[in-house]
């Protein structure tokens, strides 16, 4: 498994299979000063990405193109990557039992909530966005 990179803004892995939602989410996260890895619509490509470079946190939709995102979430959790579930499909209690440290930002997200969970997931430390 790859290591985290320490230069530049925190990197957020985005896994979302609905194109418009993925586009909106990635643009919003970038506008907040984070670097983006993705968006990925399936586990296979997201797993390849984290094999090259671990993100500082991940925003995951639960139901993606190749099934549930949980196998990817398991790998991220084991690697110590904070997870934000961004979904309207999963039962919050089930997700919280399985991933007690994970955060949630329900669909559709509110900017203030997304901002807050990203700060919590990345430890509240923003590095300046590279020019």
């Amino acid at each position: 498994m790859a290591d985290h990179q320490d230069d530049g803004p925190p990197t957020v892995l985005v896994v979302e299979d609905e194109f418009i939602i993925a586009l909106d989410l990635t643009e919003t996260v970038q506008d907040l000063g984070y670097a983006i890895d993705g968006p990925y619509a399936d586990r296979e490509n997201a797993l390849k990405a984290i094999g090259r470079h671990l993100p500082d946190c991940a925003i995951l939709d639960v139901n993606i193109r190749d099934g549930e995102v949980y196998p990817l979430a398991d790998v991220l959790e084991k690697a110590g990557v904070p997870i934000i579930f961004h979904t309207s499909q999963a039962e919050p209690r089930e997700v919280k039992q399985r991933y007690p440290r994970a955060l949630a930002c329900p669909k559709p997200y509110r900017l203030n909530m997304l901002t807050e969970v990203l700060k919590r997931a990345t430890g509240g430390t923003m590095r300046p966005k590279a020019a």
Side-chain angles (χ1 to χ4, degrees):
M1 178 95 27
D3 290 326
H4 292 275
Q5 291 181 351
D6 290 327
D7 56 333
T11 300
V12 178
L13 175 78
V14 175
V15 180
E16 169 63 64
D17 65 341
E18 294 182 51
F19 177 75
I20 298 299
I21 294 171
L23 182 64
D24 177 62
L25 185 59
T26 56
E27 286 182 2
T28 301
V29 172
Q30 282 179 317
D31 288 347
L32 291 171
Y34 297 89
I36 294 291
D37 187 1
Y40 299 98
D42 57 57
R43 287 187 314 262
E44 179 182 352
N45 287 306
L47 284 165
K48 287 178 186 175
I50 66 172
R52 294 186 298 270
H53 168 70
L54 280 176
D56 294 292
C57 76
I59 300 176
L60 309 177
D61 185 12
V62 170
N63 294 310
I64 54 176
R65 187 168 295 154
D66 55 356
E68 290 183 333
V69 78
Y70 298 132
L72 172 64
D74 292 341
V75 172
L76 290 166
E77 183 177 61
K78 186 175 182 179
V81 175
I83 298 168
I84 301 167
F85 285 103
H86 180 246
T87 188
S88 59
Q89 304 284 324
E91 180 66 37
R93 184 178 300 145
E94 173 189 340
V95 172
K96 200 63 173 167
Q97 279 182 322
R98 191 167 182 170
Y99 305 98
R101 294 185 309 243
L103 301 169
C105 186
K107 286 183 187 177
Y109 68 85
R110 292 187 326 265
L111 182 58
N112 62 337
M113 184 173 209
L114 179 62
T115 302
E116 181 58 34
V117 295
L118 279 167
K119 282 182 186 176
R120 287 177 55 200
T122 59
T125 57
M126 283 296 299
R127 294 182 288 270
K129 190 173 181 178

